[in-house]
Amino acid sequence: TLIVLGTGVAGSSAALKAAEEGVDVTIISAGEKITDCNSYWAQGGIIYRNPSDPNDSVASLSNDIKVAGVHLNDPSAVLKLATEGPSKVEEFLLQSGPGPYANVPFDRDEDGELKFCLEASHSATRIIHWQDWTGKAITDSITSAALRHPKITFLQSTVVINLLLNPSRTTCLGVQYLTPSNALKSLTSTQGVVLASGGLGGIYQHSTNPSGFNALGSSVSLASRASAITSDLEYVQFHPTALHIPNEPRFLLSEALRGEGAILRDKDGRPFAKDFHPSGELAPRDVVARAVYETTNATGGAYLDITHRGGEWATRRFPSISKYLKERGMDIGSDWMPTVPAAHYTCGGVETDLSGRTSVGNLYAAGEAARTGLHGGNRLASTSLLEGLVWGSTVGEVASGAERVVEEEGREWEGNTEGDRVGAGRDSERLMERIRKTMWEKVGIVRTEGGMASGVSEMEGMLTEAEALFEGLACRETAMVRDAATAGLEVAKAAVKNKESKGTHCVVKEEEAVGAAAV
């Protein structure tokens, strides 16, 4: 058996590949729905290969990824994605007729050919998409394929709290989890455990990520407690454009808007993006995020404007964004969209080799949970879904062919699962708010040495509080805040250790810092 944590593109492709190799797979999801994952919310698209664009090639994609990643990428990981990506899209997402994989309804022209679009920092139009909600189309299709497969079973609304390890803590034997009724159980695996539960953007005050376990760093937290190596956690990508409506969650305004010509303006209407980079709105995300951040603090606001493309066109091209705006009294065709940067993607994670193996035997990681070395210091637009697909399928194949692990007695936690969940939830939520505020202010878009050091100290204290809450009562709420505090401390420690200001890890002198609280 193989255990997969997460139902996104990485988890689902790992499960499908292993199942096709004859392995029984259990997918565990903390969400009530199997589509409750980070992949579902991806708007822009997924990289493919455009035969009609002479600028598209393995070499040009590789170069684009490295430029966006400030050349901190692992060249082998970049080459793996650039060479294997198109065939994986065809195998898993463009399957015609019956079969084990998916047939995603990507946008096509009147001749039935795939439509390609451009996104920031790409040198070719190589992105395929479904309207402005590609993640939904891919996730709906690939999870449906997993549901159909006779060798795959699902455990939903189930929270994994620990990895089971052998006595020497060198091999992963399975997982320990809380059932929907809060019973404590364990599940062992002969073929391994795959960490594919997404990133950690949700530990920040401003985040484009969905609520729940998907973005609280649960994979990083589980790995850290199992002493697996994590790396590059300081490289948290902040998306430049999240809709900023007070007292509402941040809503992602897709990279594709700027790819289609949207203009960033200050509150007086002046375009400002080219003040920060010659490529303006299409500069790397870390550059644009800091441009929006600094402009907001200096002038009192930043806005995204695509009104010049016309309301009819914009509504047709971006229907879900248009609908979201309309529900809030705004019109994509006539209104500027107030925007703020928000934590979006975890470029680092649980360190893996090119096959998805971690430093702990029988433990794998894929997707946003993993640090494959692909992204370096910053992620190129639309590489995330493809990374999940490439490494998810690789992990599924590698794990299914690995030598079966002989079951040993794993270390299990014995704790309290009975008590006042209402009170524990209230205490957990208060602590979560403090974690998010600290991470935003101390380890956010622009960092200082003093701020990061303070962040480490504060996160150490909050992890102690979170662990006490969990020890007092193990439940969904206390597990969430324990994971968030663990992941937050790991990010802060990684940031403090890295003295080089590059990519999303932007470190400035104290006197140059702009107050994070302003946005």
Side-chain angles (χ1 to χ4, degrees), residues 1-19 23-30 146 151-156 158 160 163 174-175 187-189 191-198 219 222 362-367 388 391-393 395-397 399-400:
T1 59
L2 178 69
I3 299 171
V4 177
L5 310 187
T7 61
V9 67
S12 291
S13 57
L16 283 165
K17 193 67 175 180
V23 174
D24 291 320
V25 181
T26 299
I27 299 180
I28 301 179
S29 168
K151 297 192 77 66
I152 298 176
T153 58
F154 286 83
L155 292 179
Q156 293 166 227
T158 299
V160 175
L163 299 175
V175 299
L187 182 66
T188 57
S189 170
Q191 301 304 128
V193 173
V194 181
L195 300 174
S197 61
S219 285
L222 288 166
N362 222 35
L363 181 65
Y364 304 86
W391 268 271
S393 59
V395 163
E397 185 172 2
S400 61

Side-chain angles (χ1 to χ4, degrees), residues 244-267:
H244 188 194
I245 298 177
N247 303 316
E248 282 202 19
R250 301 293 166 253
F251 177 77
L252 179 64
L253 296 173
S254 171
E255 181 98 21
L257 282 161
R258 285 175 284 126
E260 297 284 10
I263 299 167
L264 284 166
R265 302 184 185 279
D266 64 19
K267 66 181 182 64

Side-chain angles (χ1 to χ4, degrees), residues 272-452:
F272 62 82
K274 288 192 175 179
D275 296 346
F276 295 84
H277 194 281
S279 296
E281 283 80 2
L282 298 184
R285 282 181 175 177
D286 61 311
V287 176
V288 183
R290 287 192 290 274
V292 173
Y293 175 83
E294 292 181 20
T295 300
T296 298
N297 284 316
T299 70
Y303 299 84
L304 195 62
D305 172 22
I306 200 167
T307 58
H308 55 285
R309 292 300 305 265
E312 183 179 344
W313 177 90
T315 299
R316 186 172 61 252
R317 175 65 179 86
F318 300 103
S320 66
I321 293 174
S322 178
K323 180 175 181 289
Y324 190 91
L325 291 169
K326 188 174 182 180
E327 290 169 350
R328 285 150 184 82
M330 286 181 278
D331 186 339
I332 194 172
S334 58
D335 292 325
W336 299 351
M337 296 166 271
T339 188
V340 67
H344 183 61
Y345 192 85
T346 312
C347 296
V350 185
E351 187 173 298
T352 74
D353 63 12
L354 290 180
S355 295
R357 299 183 186 94
T358 73
S359 61
V360 173
N362 222 35
L363 181 65
Y364 304 86
E368 193 176 356
R371 184 275 182 191
T372 62
L374 173 69
H375 304 300
N378 190 20
R379 179 175 71 85
L380 178 68
S382 287
T383 51
S384 55
L385 291 171
L386 188 58
E387 181 193 28
L389 193 65
V390 169
W391 268 271
S393 59
T394 296
V395 163
E397 185 172 2
V398 170
S400 61
E403 184 177 346
R404 290 167 61 91
V405 173
V406 178
E407 291 187 16
E408 300 180 58
E409 185 178 347
R411 292 188 176 187
E412 295 192 28
W413 174 81
E414 295 181 4
N416 178 35
T417 58
E418 300 289 336
D420 177 16
R421 282 192 65 177
V422 174
R426 187 169 54 245
D427 292 341
S428 297
E429 183 55 37
R430 281 199 290 260
L431 181 54
M432 189 76 80
E433 289 176 5
R434 289 167 51 206
I435 290 170
R436 287 171 170 149
K437 186 172 187 293
T438 295
M439 292 302 296
W440 179 257
E441 294 182 355
K442 305 298 174 66
V443 203
I445 297 173
V446 176
R447 303 164 180 178
T448 65
E449 288 189 7
M452 291 185 293

Side-chain angles (χ1 to χ4, degrees), residues 40-59:
Y40 183 85
W41 297 99
Q43 289 180 349
I46 187 170
I47 293 170
Y48 189 37
R49 181 67 39 75
N50 187 351
S52 300
D53 191 330
N55 293 321
D56 196 15
S57 65
V58 169

Side-chain angles (χ1 to χ4, degrees), residues 11 55-56 62 82 84 97 99 147 157 172 187 203 232 257 284 287 290 329 351 376 415 461-462 479 484:
N55 293 321
D56 196 15
S62 297
E84 296 181 17
L147 276 172
S157 299
C172 182
L187 182 66
I203 67 175
D232 287 355
L257 282 161
V287 176
R290 287 192 290 274
E351 187 173 298
M462 284 186 274

